[in-house]
Amino acid sequence: MAQVHGVHGSTQSETYLVNIALPNNVTFIGVRVTKGSFAGGDILIGMDIISRGDFAVTNFNGVTKFSFR
């Protein structure tokens, strides 16, 4: 369990050790994650993962794409 602080206050939330595999076969083993609730996705990837690679966001003709390696 971990104490989680958000816009709606603080609460206790379950934690897990998980393996994360991105679509481009980049994998992270044994990442500690905290269960949460948010709209618009299945997982929220934070700076602890993003800072381990090269993350780029581009927008051309109104189409946004990102890459991570």
Side-chain angles (χ1 to χ4, degrees):
M1 298 295 285
Q3 185 76 15
V4 178
H5 307 277
V7 296
H8 300 293
S10 298
T11 187
Q12 288 285 320
S13 186
E14 301 166 8
T15 61
Y16 304 91
L17 283 179
V18 301
N19 299 331
I20 299 173
L22 301 177
N24 60 350
N25 295 322
V26 174
T27 304
F28 300 93
I29 306 297
V31 179
R32 182 177 182 236
V33 300
T34 305
K35 183 177 180 180
S37 176
F38 62 94
D42 297 322
I43 186 172
L44 179 64
I45 297 176
M47 288 305 296
D48 58 332
I49 298 293
I50 293 171
S51 65
R52 294 186 188 181
D54 181 22
F55 179 73
V57 179
T58 61
N59 185 293
F60 181 71
N61 286 337
V63 177
T64 303
K65 295 185 178 185
F66 77 88
S67 63
F68 184 86
R69 59 183 183 147

